[in-house]
Amino acid sequence: MKKFRLGGISAIAILTGSTLAFAATKKTDTAAADKAAEDAVIASIQEAQMNYGGITAESYAAFQKQPDSKFDRKIASSGANYEKEMSDDYKAMGDRIRMLKDADALAALVAEMDRDYDKYQDADLKLLALEMAQLKPMRGLIFRLIPLAERAKVTHSVLLTRLMKIATRMGMYSPTNQAKVVLSYLSEPYNGMVRFRTPRDFQNFVGTEVYSATWKSALRLRDLDLTQRKDKSKKKLLIDSSIFYSGIGGFYDDNARFNFFQEGERQLLMAMKNRTMKDQLAFISFNVEKLMDLSMALGKLYGIETFRENIEGVSTKAIHDVIMQDQFKDLFVMKERIGAGVGCITNTTVTDGSVKPDERCKQDPGHAGAMAMVAFHTRQMVWHLGQAWKALRDDRMKIDHSGIINPAVANAFNDRIEDVLPVWEKLIAGPQPLVSKMTSEMTTVDVPGYYESFKKTSGLTSADQAARDLKNFLPTQFHITPPNSNCKEGNRIHVGIVSAPGLGTHDRVGMLSKKVTYTNAEGKQVTEEVCYRDYFYGAPTGWNPLPYSILYPGLTDGKKVGENQRILKQSNGGRLVANLIDWVID
């Protein structure tokens, strides 16, 4: 936000209304800047979508048939010469990484690898470069985030403690020069950096620079020919762990140092990248401006941001009551220009991984369609997981430690994976019935319908409108323990002297009591009315059915939401959906 200096403006001018003019100008400039930032996010997301290109079932099958495109996994031999499997350019780049001295040197190398990626002619170097290039927007990120985190003591303290713990563990378990340089790169200030003033600033950063870097990395990985070699040798693609862990001593053996990267690894990494992009777009789609204020308010509940004499615990109802305060009315509400819209690409089917442009986005260029892209990345994640499994399943009877993934490990999960993957494919295709393995109860879930709701920019139903404020997914009814006159305020222990002097006059919430004979802490046997906690106090018993009716077609009874969530978690593959609403439902 710009700071306006009054300079030589007289006090009379200020008193006659110039202050209001400056305030209005400041507000207008801020609104214009916010809109410009949103425009940049929309443009970034749409550009990424239009550059996707697509992978079809036919092109993937053709690639699989290329000579040597999929190597047999063989048991690693201690006598193998792995050095010969690596390209000279890859080994040279590894030496440069080992010799990095500081964050400036790393930043220059990351920029170079991103810039020169297309010039590289060896698959091992290209794989290293596409991963390293993702670091480009991350320089100084921790330092840039401090102004946001330090507003809430508990958040700042927790983050600082975790970072110190990471540094401590790094010094103990990864005392390498490379690890120190990377930590410096991520955490230290640098010339020309811009710190985040508001959560919106950080969201815009994620929606432009971070998402674009992840997307570019995914496209490069998708199109990478794992057999590409400058010398046309068709060698296996090998990863050398010593590039990032060296300078202390040599690896015990080559099995510990080297791993082959093959089709199963590529598909699994593609699934991970799509999951990351899904989470990035979901994060930027909703208003989080008051998130630090909420953190402080919740901290007071837990006795962290302030001192509390009475320790009562924090129920779901107490958390709900804080989040629903008027000061948080805009928190977790979807940002229409970012979250809504159809998106520019979609899947032709959900079982072959192919994609195509969605021409509807040209008719609505003012919306990013981020939630539509969340759905897209979810479908792509499931498809790539399926491809990874197929690549491993073919080799799962072979014990092989030479790859990043030992296919023999997959053999132990064969039945479970074979059951879950088909369910996931059906879940992302349309309404799907799921059955609890514990009780045989059934529910129907519509994941595409859930995401389709967010695509709308007009004609919203009451359910659509409710779903755009994530607070509407919170419980609305709670178990309330009747007041108990035997347990007064001030009696902070769960058992004991209910008639002690100095107790308050108000009944404590969530307390039960009964007369029992027991041996107390002094070793004496007593008979008295004992207070104890009702641990179900404040537990959710009902929800607003409107937003949930999109996910559970036909749901009208809010008390059934918890039951549906239980069935989801008890079914094959249901956790894919349950995780969508886990954080709000209880």
Side-chain angles (χ1 to χ4, degrees):
M1 185 179 294
K2 290 185 178 180
K3 293 183 177 179
F4 288 81
R5 299 181 181 275
L6 298 183
I9 298 176
S10 68
I12 295 176
I14 295 174
L15 293 174
T16 55
S18 293
T19 301
L20 295 177
F22 273 104
T25 302
K26 186 176 181 181
K27 185 174 182 180
T28 301
D29 284 358
T30 301
D34 289 344
K35 183 179 184 301
E38 278 197 347
D39 289 341
V41 173
I42 293 171
S44 176
I45 294 174
Q46 290 185 344
E47 180 183 8
Q49 295 170 15
M50 299 309 290
N51 287 340
Y52 192 82
I55 237 182
T56 65
E58 293 76 14
S59 64
Y60 180 79
F63 177 78
Q64 288 289 71
K65 292 177 181 178
Q66 291 179 10
D68 301 320
S69 67
K70 183 172 183 291
F71 295 105
D72 290 334
R73 295 173 179 266
K74 297 179 181 178
I75 299 174
S77 169
S78 59
N81 189 344
Y82 291 105
E83 292 283 347
K84 289 185 177 180
E85 297 287 347
M86 297 185 292
S87 69
D88 291 339
D89 289 344
Y90 177 74
K91 287 186 282 188
M93 186 64 75
D95 290 338
R96 292 178 64 185
I97 293 173
R98 294 185 189 96
M99 297 300 292
L100 288 170
K101 297 299 183 183
D102 53 35
D104 288 336
L106 176 57
L109 185 59
V110 166
E112 175 190 322
M113 296 177 82
D114 183 41
R115 182 191 67 232
D116 294 344
Y117 177 84
D118 290 333
K119 298 178 182 179
Y120 298 149
Q121 300 179 51
D122 295 287
D124 50 6
L125 180 56
K126 292 175 83 74
L127 178 63
L128 177 63
L130 71 87
E131 287 297 287
M132 290 283 288
Q134 289 183 102
L135 285 173
K136 192 173 180 179
M138 310 305 285
R139 186 170 187 190
L141 180 61
I142 294 171
F143 189 81
R144 296 172 67 190
L145 279 169
I146 289 175
L148 302 184
E150 64 186 2
R151 291 179 55 197
K153 294 178 182 177
V154 58
T155 302
H156 194 192
S157 178
V158 168
L159 291 177
L160 180 58
T161 301
R162 288 181 178 176
L163 287 171
M164 293 172 70
K165 181 66 72 175
I166 289 172
T168 300
R169 289 178 175 172
M170 184 197 75
M172 183 179 296
Y173 300 111
S174 299
T176 65
N177 175 66
Q178 299 96 312
K180 293 176 183 177
V181 170
V182 170
L183 184 59
S184 297
Y185 181 89
L186 295 174
S187 63
E188 293 179 2
Y190 63 96
N191 291 327
M193 72 174 187
V194 178
R195 302 186 85 177
F196 302 114
R197 299 169 302 161
T198 66
R200 184 187 295 110
D201 289 341
F202 181 58
Q203 285 183 300
N204 292 338
F205 165 73
V206 172
T208 51
E209 298 182 50
V210 178
Y211 178 69
S212 293
T214 312
W215 185 272
K216 183 191 288 186
S217 177
L219 295 186
R220 287 170 167 175
L221 177 62
R222 184 200 68 182
D223 296 333
L224 178 63
D225 180 353
L226 301 184
T227 69
Q228 180 182 351
R229 293 293 182 274
K230 183 166 60 175
D231 61 7
K232 310 299 182 183
S233 62
K234 298 294 182 180
K235 295 174 182 176
K236 296 182 181 180
L237 198 163
L238 194 71
I239 293 176
D240 181 1
S241 298
S242 75
I243 290 177
F244 298 102
Y245 201 104
S246 61
I248 305 170
F251 277 76
Y252 177 75
D253 60 21
D254 285 346
N255 285 338
R257 177 180 171 183
F258 298 108
N259 291 107
F260 288 117
F261 187 94
Q262 300 182 49
E263 194 58 39
E265 284 83 359
R266 186 229 296 268
Q267 294 296 337
L268 185 59
L269 187 54
M270 281 294 294
M272 293 169 63
K273 289 183 183 297
N274 274 278
R275 177 176 179 175
T276 298
M277 290 186 284
K278 169 182 74 72
D279 293 341
Q280 290 168 352
L281 293 181
F283 169 68
I284 70 170
S285 294
F286 294 86
N287 186 315
V288 294
E289 284 302 290
K290 289 276 189 175
L291 191 59
M292 291 299 104
D293 299 275
L294 176 62
S295 177
M296 288 188 286
L298 293 176
K300 292 177 181 178
L301 274 185
Y302 288 93
I304 299 173
E305 297 284 348
T306 187
F307 177 75
R308 292 183 65 195
E309 182 179 359
N310 292 340
I311 304 301
E312 299 289 353
V314 180
S315 66
T316 299
K317 182 182 185 302
I319 296 172
H320 167 273
D321 292 346
V322 170
I323 296 176
M324 297 307 293
Q325 291 175 8
D326 189 62
Q327 64 173 315
F328 302 125
K329 67 180 186 301
D330 295 325
L331 185 63
F332 303 137
V333 174
M334 191 174 80
K335 296 190 289 187
E336 288 294 319
R337 298 186 68 226
I338 302 297
V342 297
C344 293
I345 55 174
T346 187
N347 300 79
T348 54
T349 73
V350 294
T351 55
D352 66 8
S354 57
V355 300
K356 66 176 182 180
D358 191 326
E359 298 297 330
R360 291 178 297 171
C361 81
K362 297 179 181 178
Q363 303 166 15
D364 187 20
H367 291 86
M371 289 302 290
M373 290 300 296
V374 170
F376 171 80
H377 287 306
T378 300
R379 291 192 292 266
Q380 290 296 100
M381 177 188 73
V382 170
W383 184 77
H384 285 295
L385 282 173
Q387 296 306 306
W389 168 242
K390 290 175 183 177
L392 293 171
R393 181 184 58 192
D394 295 340
D395 298 316
R396 67 182 185 274
M397 299 309 294
K398 303 174 184 177
I399 300 175
D400 177 11
H401 300 286
S402 66
I404 295 176
I405 307 171
N406 182 351
V409 174
N411 194 45
F413 301 98
N414 179 41
D415 293 340
R416 184 175 178 182
I417 296 175
E418 293 284 5
D419 287 343
V420 168
L421 273 175
V423 175
W424 283 3
E425 291 173 350
K426 292 176 182 177
L427 278 172
I428 59 177
Q432 173 67 17
L434 294 175
V435 179
S436 166
K437 294 181 292 185
M438 305 294 187
T439 65
S440 299
E441 295 168 289
M442 181 180 292
T443 188
T444 298
V445 184
D446 186 2
V447 175
Y450 174 79
Y451 287 116
E452 283 292 328
S453 168
F454 291 114
K455 291 183 180 181
K456 298 178 183 178
T457 57
S458 61
L460 273 65
T461 66
S462 56
D464 296 327
Q465 292 171 338
R468 297 191 175 206
D469 183 349
L470 297 182
K471 296 190 298 295
N472 288 326
F473 286 91
L474 291 169
T476 56
Q477 296 173 293
F478 308 89
H479 169 73
I480 302 298
T481 314
N484 190 337
S485 60
N486 291 318
C487 304
K488 298 292 185 180
E489 183 181 1
N491 176 23
R492 297 195 301 275
I493 55 176
H494 292 178
V495 297
I497 312 168
V498 294
S499 58
L503 295 183
T505 58
H506 301 290
D507 294 341
R508 292 181 65 203
V509 298
M511 298 299 291
L512 302 171
S513 68
K514 62 182 175 181
K515 196 169 186 177
V516 296
T517 299
Y518 69 103
T519 301
N520 64 19
E522 287 77 35
K524 298 179 180 178
Q525 189 175 70
V526 295
T527 300
E528 61 184 2
E529 192 78 14
V530 174
C531 295
Y532 59 98
R533 177 78 61 182
D534 179 2
Y535 292 102
F536 288 103
Y537 175 81
T541 59
W543 294 259
N544 177 0
L546 271 178
Y548 285 100
S549 66
I550 301 173
L551 192 59
Y552 300 113
L555 178 72
T556 58
D557 184 357
K559 293 185 179 297
K560 295 287 187 181
V561 170
E563 176 183 302
N564 280 274
Q565 183 76 347
R566 173 177 54 77
I567 296 172
L568 275 186
K569 288 196 169 186
Q570 293 174 349
S571 67
N572 277 331
R575 287 186 179 272
L576 180 72
V577 184
N579 291 339
L580 290 174
I581 52 177
D582 234 3
W583 71 279
V584 290
I585 198 165
D586 57 5

